[in-house]
Structures are given as C-alpha cells and as structure tokens.
Amino acid sequence: MPTYKVIELGTVTAEAIEETINEWTAKGWRFDSMQFAMRESSRRPSMAFVMFTREQADKDSP
C-alpha cells in the first residue's frame, strides 16, 4: 500500500529542489512528481510541491 509525502517549497530554485529530492530519497522515499504554482505577473513559479511515495506494509496482511 503506497504512502505519500508532499513537500511544499516556498523558494523555487534548482538548488532547493535538488536538496529536497536528495534529502527525502536518502530517507527511503521515491520521487513521484512535482507541481508548480505560478503567478500571473511572473514567469517564475512562486511555489513548488514535490511529491514522494514509498511502500508501506499492509497492517492486515500476514
């Protein structure tokens, strides 16, 4: 059964994204996807949401 983790980044830079992915994959999470929140007045994203997954053992299974 998959477990999900969402990390919100308020500072969207290559370094911040790289640091987040490296930190959470080292903890056993697998990078799943990334979504950006944009402002109309800017071409740069104002926020990013980095999604991770990992398999969690089903509590009901032997």
Side-chain angles (χ1 to χ4, degrees):
M1 176 173 180
T3 301
Y4 297 88
K5 175 164 283 305
V6 178
I7 304 297
E8 178 182 319
L9 297 178
T11 302
V12 184
T13 63
E15 292 81 13
I17 293 169
E18 183 178 306
E19 181 180 319
T20 300
I21 291 172
N22 287 335
E23 175 185 349
W24 288 98
T25 55
K27 293 178 181 180
W29 292 89
R30 188 180 59 135
F31 173 74
D32 185 63
S33 63
M34 189 176 336
Q35 297 288 318
F36 295 100
M38 305 294 287
R39 289 191 181 132
E40 287 186 33
S41 61
S42 176
R43 298 182 91 178
R44 291 189 54 88
S46 59
M47 296 177 74
F49 298 91
V50 187
M51 277 68 80
F52 298 91
T53 60
R54 73 174 168 193
E55 287 299 317
Q56 188 76 5
D58 189 3
K59 295 178 183 176
D60 296 331
S61 66

